[in-house]
Amino acid sequence: MGNTATKERSASPHGSRNRGESSSMSGRHQYDSRSRSRRDLGEATLFGLAGSSREHRERDREAERAAREARRQERERERQREKERSLREESVDGGFLVTHGVYTGPEDFKDKIVRQLIIERRLAPFFKGLRDHEDNWTDAQLYAAVKELPIPGPDAEPPKEEVPKLSEKSLSTDLLTVPLAPRSRSHSYTSDGSGPSSTCGNILGGRTRSKTLSISSPRNPTLPNTAGPQEINIPSRFVEGRPIEAVLYQNASECPICFLYYPPYINKTRCCDQEICSECFVQIKRADPHVPDSHDSNPNQEPSNSIADRLVSEPATCPFCKQPEFGVTYAPPPFRRGLVYASTVPDPASTTTLPTSDLSTPSGASPSSRTSPPLSPSGRRRFILPPTSPEVVTTDQIRPDWAQKLASARAHAARRAAAATALHTAAFLMSNPAPGSSSGGGGSSSGSYSRRLMRRARENSGNSGRTADESPSPNHSGSRTPQEGTARGPSLLALGMGSGRERERHSPDVSIEQNLINMGFISRRETSRERQHAHDVSGGNRERTHGRHRIADLEEMMLMEAIRLSLVEEEERKKREEEKKAKEAKEQQYKSSPLPGLTPAISSSSSSSTPHPPPPSAALTAESSSLSSPPEGKGKSPERPQPPPPVTLNSSPTSSSASSENTADEHRDIDANEPMWNFQSLAAMITNREGSVERDVNGGTEGVEVEVGKQGVQVSETETVEECKGKGKERDVEAGAA
Amino acid sequence: MANLPKRIIKETQRLTEEPVPGINAVPHEDNLRYFDVSIHGPSQSPYEGGIFRLELFLPEDYPMCPPKIRFLTKIYHPNIDRLGRICLDVLKSNWSPALQIRTILLSIQALLGAPNPDDPLANDVAQKWKEDEKTAIETARQWTRTHAMS
Amino acid sequence: MSAKVPRNFRLLEELEMGEKGLSADGCSYGLEDSDDVMMSNWNATILGPPHSVYENRIYSLKIYCGSEYPDEPPSVSFISKINLPGVDQRTGRVDLSKLARVAQWSRNFTMEKILVALREHMAHPNCRKLPQPPEGTEF
């Protein structure tokens, strides 16, 4: 009776519980403290990033949204019009090519593919579903039920065939070939690009084209009509002189999902041979991309995997037997009415292109079957048809865009996570205990952040107390206090939360810094990722658990929620903007000397062969010490000349991506040192950037999940952000001077 | 009523015509997708003797999406949280449109008879359940007496 | 749409939205008492909009969703003292009819929508320069 937890919301199997618990259940207390803390003003400089350009962007966004909505509605209307036309004019086997609205949501299956599958008789047409049905209904009653007329008495006369000649002819030829005007793609909105032998892929291609066509010239008669398949209509609505409705619905059966009555010729599942109407079938699809249930996932799975990486999209399962890769088959009635692809009709041999041709032998081949009342489809199938079987139509076949959906869901998750990473970073930046104050209360020296964060800071230092005590740079603690919360840089710089504390340590080069702000932002994530790996390798279990709690805590903070979205925006905008700047900067300054004190995060992206001095101590210690003394590495300020270790050219364009796969080995370099970057590596990074953005973003995702929990990682993030912030300051200063 | 899918109408009819023992579900008059539900605590369980009230809602895309259900009566159970939300796979990822209100309510009744502390929603309760099952069950009994028998 | 989401399930949706962090920029909300099965009382915060006197301040509010929510709007009050048209200066109670976007209440509106509307209101040229009580004071 599995009451399997579904943790759609969760970032990780473990973290989720904590999170769910703390956010949804232990509400009040935390909430209160949260709100109280918010009243503290200084922290709010954070939000200085919401600049006026933001409002512009909001407007733009809104306009864009409106335009999108308008386009969507237009498409919807178009689809609706086409549906109505099709319902009037087209049918197959007495059913239809479009849905009847049993389900009210927007239709996201590929209607053209479905249309083709129906005409090819691989999928049951959309028969009209009856709300009521009696086994003893007469033809006239059945006919009325299908036509949604009042049900007449049992002695009512069913409609008679009005054009006997037509039916005579069809009877005589047994092919009922009464071609209407052959339809070409140029005349039929729905038939373009879909030949009987064309694959779904072709249809897709055709669809794109047709979309353009239908918008610019929906009925362009000048188009050559050779490309499209010709459809031939067999318009008679009578079988053996009886209305087709009566013949079809005489032995109606109830679809087990929508509970409506259908002809016995509806689809059967490929697995358990259950009936399912097309209306229900086209509703069944993959679940939206999600993080797998903890039960399904491998317990040994790297917890560091980002949400984005772990998002999965599983093929729909059979609603009845849960067999994966849900698919159905269609056993059509023995007669044939409605649309047929031209090529399949005149020449029975050509029907071999129809996978179901063996099941649906054109009536001409077996006159007896035509004359007999509709047979119940032959007895139950005893075997499972593989999803690849040609007669099987799977849910993926009518929604071939699932892969694309998964990809975009991943990208979306990555973006969100990246923004969240920035927030975590910001929070930790603010909450880091002042170096040297072993009590951890040092965080209060900033005097501006929320109590809540201070509490966190205390926790943090409590856990890393041992290292905090060792932190070697008390001087920096002094530098950080005074201006907390006073300055506010625009946009990303706001991550620095207005602290001007590191101003003095920054490299003077403005444009480079501008680049780096962005670069650092990105590469920081890689750093985190590396650390994360390193930690996993070195088994930082305790820290990890602890980290999860912290993550849960953090994520609750409305504070962060408030700026998260703007960060996403800001990030994207910056990326675009600074990409250009970066290139320019690279060119201008290619020859200048190695830049002192670029961010460790960036350096960490360089290859592990970078000749850093060996870490002073164990990795953790090193991390913590850098935690307490963020300036240490990056701050090669002019007044603190310190020969930066030269960066090797190993930081080639590939390095940034390569580094993300690195593990513990590199860990030390990253943690313990202030690896330097020179322009070549920077340039490499810049050039590499475009390609690595996605990957970077992914890295960031992971950061959110795990690394924040680990102290070392926190440290690194903090450093980086401080770096960014500092650089921003620097830029501000420079700008002011200029 | 006009737009109510046939399926919902039929399910409702069948629920009243062939009721499930120990389970009762009645739609609100003004919202036929919204049901008042009561479930009797299964015998041999700490919930025995209790009558638990729930609310159930069939969203627009039911049955392609599962019904939404939660307990209104307070209940001490490792898979039911403080707001009455239920952690049950068939209500989420394992939902199938072939399932019905009836089957879902039976699943919930079964869940009362077989708590699964390894897969908790209400973390603290599950913790308790694992550490000290006897006390946890006693608490569940207590809560049943206090909240589900009146 | 024939499905009309009942109050409680609607509030559960909103709760999850708030928990998931899907809230709009600068606003957040959550249940005041996570044991409250009826989910009537909520806390909320609004981050003062930029380029206004409210910038960098965090405003606490409380929201009460009655039994008729969402057919009827909730009642919204500031806890943090604020000088803002439409806010009762004695009680902090917000007059929703003064907020253009939600004045015509619809059951599709959410608490989030109200908060966003309030924040917009604060940023409105007529409001963003008003003298404000000292930070940290409450109604």
Side-chain angles (χ1 to χ4, degrees):
Chain A
M1 80 133 292
N3 45 334
T4 308
T6 45
K7 275 119 189 162
E8 298 115 316
R9 242 186 301 160
S10 64
S12 67
H14 303 288
S16 68
R17 288 182 195 173
N18 295 334
R19 182 179 177 192
E21 169 77 342
S22 51
S23 59
S24 69
M25 315 199 116
S26 60
R28 177 161 22 179
H29 177 73
Q30 295 187 356
Y31 201 95
D32 286 354
S33 63
R34 206 158 32 175
S35 351
R36 264 200 311 275
S37 67
R38 297 304 169 64
R39 287 174 206 136
D40 208 324
L41 223 186
E43 81 197 73
T45 41
L46 237 179
F47 303 101
L49 70 144
S52 63
S53 66
R54 160 100 172 272
E55 283 150 37
H56 286 291
R57 283 199 308 279
E58 257 163 28
R59 260 201 301 278
D60 290 350
R61 226 174 17 179
E62 221 154 272
E64 215 173 89
R65 215 181 294 137
R68 238 196 337 263
E69 180 64 12
R71 282 197 299 274
R72 197 189 60 76
Q73 282 179 0
E74 181 47 42
R75 274 199 307 275
E76 198 53 42
R77 274 195 297 275
E78 172 75 4
R79 193 164 171 151
Q80 198 55 43
R81 275 196 297 273
E82 167 57 20
K83 266 178 92 162
E84 284 161 16
R85 184 197 65 78
S86 176
L87 275 177
R88 274 194 314 272
E89 301 176 5
E90 302 178 327
S91 69
V92 168
D93 296 343
F96 298 86
L97 293 156
V98 293
T99 56
H100 300 279
V102 174
Y103 296 95
T104 53
E107 295 183 345
D108 55 357
F109 56 87
K110 290 277 178 268
D111 48 1
K112 292 188 181 59
I113 295 176
V114 168
R115 180 192 159 91
Q116 184 194 344
L117 290 169
I118 290 175
I119 297 178
E120 288 177 359
R121 294 178 126 190
R122 296 176 59 191
L123 184 67
F126 295 104
F127 290 113
K128 179 100 190 134
L130 304 188
R131 289 172 78 91
D132 298 292
H133 180 268
E134 301 292 339
D135 287 340
N136 57 1
W137 271 354
T138 63
D139 283 6
Q141 288 171 317
L142 287 168
Y143 178 85
V146 177
K147 293 287 178 190
E148 289 181 312
L149 304 169
I151 306 291
D155 46 358
E157 282 291 301
K160 292 285 178 222
E161 217 167 350
E162 287 160 17
V163 198
K165 197 175 165 242
L166 202 71
S167 95
E168 210 109 287
K169 184 194 174 196
S170 35
L171 284 171
S172 65
T173 63
D174 250 332
L175 275 176
L176 303 168
T177 48
V178 181
L180 289 189
R183 310 174 68 106
S184 74
R185 58 194 308 228
S186 58
H187 289 95
S188 167
Y189 166 85
T190 45
S191 62
D192 47 315
S194 53
S197 56
S198 66
T199 67
C200 294
N202 291 348
I203 293 177
L204 277 184
R207 185 173 188 275
T208 331
R209 218 164 4 149
S210 79
K211 209 160 109 184
T212 333
L213 287 177
S214 65
I215 289 165
S216 56
S217 56
R219 296 285 188 267
N220 185 347
T222 65
L223 278 174
N225 66 2
T226 50
Q230 293 204 340
E231 292 168 3
I232 291 174
N233 202 359
I234 306 169
S236 170
R237 300 285 298 175
F238 289 83
V239 175
E240 283 288 287
R242 298 171 66 197
I244 195 169
E245 289 82 6
V247 176
L248 284 171
Y249 287 85
Q250 178 173 279
N251 296 310
S253 55
E254 189 184 50
C255 170
I257 290 184
C258 62
F259 289 13
L260 296 173
Y261 295 100
Y262 291 96
Y265 308 102
I266 54 178
N267 309 291
K268 301 285 189 77
T269 62
R270 68 168 185 89
C271 36
C272 52
D273 202 34
Q274 277 276 352
E275 294 184 328
I276 180 171
C277 72
S278 289
E279 200 103 17
C280 289
F281 174 73
V282 297
Q283 290 291 322
I284 293 175
K285 57 183 171 188
R286 292 170 176 252
D288 287 335
H290 60 281
V291 175
D293 277 4
S294 56
H295 297 269
D296 309 337
S297 60
N298 178 0
N300 300 322
Q301 191 184 20
E302 280 258 320
S304 61
N305 277 354
S306 69
I307 298 183
D309 287 347
R310 288 191 297 134
L311 280 179
V312 294
S313 171
E314 290 144 341
T317 57
C318 170
F320 307 105
C321 69
K322 288 279 157 194
Q323 183 88 22
E325 307 236 29
F326 181 48
V328 295
T329 62
Y330 172 51
F335 50 84
R336 186 141 201 180
R337 295 291 184 281
L339 287 186
V340 184
Y341 283 130
S343 57
T344 68
V345 175
D347 176 10
S350 73
T351 57
T352 49
T353 56
L354 289 171
T356 52
S357 58
D358 51 330
L359 297 171
S360 60
T361 316
S363 46
S366 55
S368 61
S369 73
R370 183 185 51 75
T371 52
S372 58
L375 295 170
S376 294
S378 51
R380 280 181 77 87
R381 192 171 11 91
R382 309 258 160 185
F383 53 93
I384 292 178
L385 287 167
T388 49
S389 180
E391 62 259 49
V392 170
V393 174
T394 64
T395 54
D396 282 350
Q397 253 171 289
I398 62 169
R399 281 189 185 79
D401 55 344
W402 65 268
Q404 191 190 331
K405 271 190 178 148
L406 176 60
S408 66
R410 282 185 170 149
H412 181 70
R415 274 199 306 277
R416 279 177 59 105
T421 305
L423 281 167
H424 293 308
T425 308
F428 279 110
L429 169 66
M430 297 309 295
S431 62
N432 274 337
S437 76
S438 55
S439 77
S444 62
S445 63
S446 69
S448 65
Y449 210 48
S450 73
R451 260 159 277 174
R452 180 182 174 83
L453 281 177
M454 286 185 214
R455 177 170 66 73
R456 193 190 315 286
R458 274 192 293 279
E459 283 168 9
N460 185 16
S461 78
N463 283 289
S464 61
R466 128 188 92 98
T467 47
D469 283 338
E470 294 161 18
S471 75
S473 52
N475 53 321
H476 293 300
S477 67
S479 69
R480 64 185 294 170
T481 37
Q483 296 124 322
E484 280 282 349
T486 55
R488 57 190 76 128
S491 68
L492 198 55
L493 301 182
L495 275 180
M497 293 181 201
S499 158
R501 55 184 132 146
E502 282 166 286
R503 191 172 298 173
E504 77 281 4
R505 289 192 299 272
H506 291 300
S507 131
D509 189 298
V510 175
S511 59
I512 286 299
E513 282 176 0
Q514 284 174 330
N515 299 332
L516 285 177
I517 290 155
N518 199 26
M519 314 286 297
F521 192 57
I522 289 164
S523 60
R524 168 175 46 77
R525 291 189 208 109
E526 291 202 338
T527 311
S528 326
R529 182 173 177 154
E530 286 159 8
R531 282 167 195 274
Q532 200 175 298
H533 280 294
H535 261 276
D536 292 344
V537 169
S538 64
N541 253 318
R542 193 181 55 82
E543 285 94 339
R544 201 179 306 153
T545 318
H546 173 62
R548 288 229 172 77
H549 282 287
R550 294 173 54 94
I551 291 174
D553 265 357
L554 267 178
E555 293 200 346
E556 263 175 52
M557 299 174 56
M558 291 186 292
L559 177 61
M560 304 186 137
E561 305 293 353
I563 60 171
R564 193 170 45 73
L565 289 173
S566 35
L567 277 169
V568 178
E569 258 180 21
E570 188 58 29
E571 189 187 9
E572 269 167 3
R573 192 184 63 78
K574 282 246 159 204
K575 263 184 204 161
R576 267 177 258 122
E577 200 175 88
E578 309 241 357
E579 220 159 292
K580 285 177 199 157
K581 281 190 198 163
K583 278 184 185 139
E584 288 163 18
K586 174 186 71 178
E587 278 161 24
Q588 285 167 12
Q589 318 209 350
Y590 192 75
K591 284 176 187 139
S592 47
S593 59
L595 195 63
L598 294 185
T599 77
I602 289 176
S603 352
S604 71
S605 301
S606 65
S607 108
S608 54
S609 62
T610 308
H612 297 313
S617 56
L620 237 190
T621 313
E623 284 169 17
S624 307
S625 64
S626 45
L627 159 68
S628 19
S629 60
E632 181 72 9
K634 36 184 166 209
K636 309 309 186 313
S637 60
E639 67 264 37
R640 230 179 104 209
Q642 176 179 336
V647 178
T648 69
L649 292 188
N650 273 339
S651 30
S652 66
T654 53
S655 67
S656 68
S657 41
S659 64
S660 55
E661 264 94 54
N662 284 337
T663 49
D665 276 6
E666 187 165 358
H667 178 225
R668 263 181 252 157
D669 288 343
I670 299 159
D671 288 337
N673 300 307
E674 303 77 40
M676 294 299 106
W677 261 52
N678 63 12
F679 267 109
Q680 259 154 330
S681 48
L682 175 60
M685 174 105 181
I686 291 166
T687 7
N688 192 33
R689 227 179 116 219
E690 206 155 345
S692 63
V693 161
E694 186 60 36
R695 148 168 244 125
D696 284 330
V697 168
N698 282 332
T701 310
E702 299 186 355
V704 171
E705 296 242 25
V706 180
E707 100 257 29
V708 180
K710 290 177 214 129
Q711 294 165 0
V713 176
Q714 296 157 15
V715 172
S716 80
E717 293 208 348
T718 305
E719 284 179 355
T720 313
V721 167
E722 288 185 16
E723 189 63 15
C724 291
K725 167 201 63 195
K727 295 219 155 72
K729 288 282 116 190
E730 187 78 18
R731 183 172 67 171
D732 287 350
V733 169
E734 294 258 341
Chain B
M1 189 90 175
N3 287 327
L4 205 60
K6 189 66 185 176
R7 158 145 179 174
I8 295 180
I9 295 170
K10 283 193 185 175
E11 275 202 64
T12 309
Q13 274 171 4
R14 289 172 195 178
L15 273 170
T16 23
E17 283 163 11
E18 319 148 29
V20 193
I23 294 178
N24 190 31
V26 184
H28 285 234
E29 268 177 29
D30 59 347
N31 188 348
L32 296 172
R33 290 172 173 267
Y34 186 28
F35 291 72
D36 273 331
V37 176
S38 62
I39 295 182
H40 291 248
S43 56
Q44 316 291 313
S45 81
Y47 311 101
E48 182 170 7
I51 297 176
F52 296 88
R53 291 207 312 120
L54 298 89
E55 55 184 351
L56 179 151
F57 173 64
L58 304 175
E60 178 71 23
D61 35 6
Y62 178 82
M64 290 304 156
C65 280
K68 297 182 181 299
I69 312 184
R70 70 162 189 152
F71 276 82
L72 288 168
T73 306
K74 276 191 152 327
I75 182 168
Y76 193 81
H77 188 289
N79 309 105
I80 300 167
D81 80 5
R82 294 200 263 176
L83 291 176
R85 293 176 289 190
I86 306 162
C87 180
L88 186 62
D89 64 343
V90 290
L91 286 176
K92 296 179 181 153
S93 57
N94 271 343
W95 168 254
S96 149
L99 295 170
Q100 300 179 22
I101 300 173
R102 173 191 301 269
T103 42
I104 282 300
L105 293 181
L106 280 167
S107 302
I108 292 172
Q109 196 178 37
L111 182 67
L112 294 187
N116 181 0
D118 291 324
D119 200 1
L121 183 60
N123 235 344
D124 45 345
V125 179
Q127 197 63 31
K128 196 84 195 170
W129 219 275
K130 280 202 265 196
E131 285 167 9
D132 185 355
E133 189 171 337
K134 221 175 135 209
T135 312
I137 288 178
E138 193 37 57
T139 310
R141 262 198 203 101
Q142 193 81 41
W143 281 42
T144 304
R145 275 195 293 276
T146 317
H147 302 292
M149 300 184 190
S150 53
Chain C
M1 276 299 202
S2 63
K4 184 176 157 187
V5 183
R7 172 190 186 274
N8 293 352
F9 289 103
R10 169 57 182 277
L11 286 174
L12 283 174
E13 278 172 21
E14 292 197 48
L15 178 65
E16 272 166 35
M17 286 282 284
E19 283 170 359
K20 274 186 194 166
L22 301 179
S23 298
D25 302 13
C27 304
S28 62
Y29 58 91
L31 263 187
E32 183 188 294
D33 175 2
S34 62
D35 263 343
D36 177 12
V37 174
M38 290 318 289
M39 299 173 285
S40 300
N41 292 297
W42 298 70
N43 284 327
T45 56
I46 295 177
L47 185 71
H51 313 297
S52 73
V53 288
Y54 316 100
E55 183 168 13
N56 297 334
R57 293 199 190 186
I58 291 177
Y59 290 91
S60 302
L61 299 92
K62 58 184 177 196
I63 303 178
Y64 173 78
C65 296
S67 59
E68 296 306 312
Y69 182 84
D71 291 316
E72 300 291 329
S75 80
V76 180
S77 303
F78 273 90
I79 297 172
S80 315
K81 224 171 181 19
I82 186 171
N83 177 22
L84 180 68
V87 176
D88 186 305
Q89 283 309 297
R90 282 181 309 110
T91 62
R93 173 78 187 258
V94 178
D95 183 352
L96 292 182
S97 67
K98 297 284 196 300
L99 298 179
R101 290 222 180 188
V102 293
Q104 283 294 324
W105 182 256
S106 144
R107 95 183 304 276
N108 294 326
F109 291 175
T110 59
M111 289 183 275
E112 180 186 315
K113 175 138 184 141
I114 296 176
L115 293 171
V116 171
L118 260 176
R119 190 160 183 259
E120 266 181 28
H121 182 51
M122 290 157 80
H124 191 274
N126 292 346
C127 306
R128 66 170 190 227
K129 301 246 166 73
L130 298 174
Q132 292 301 314
E135 188 171 17
T137 51
E138 297 189 353
F139 282 107

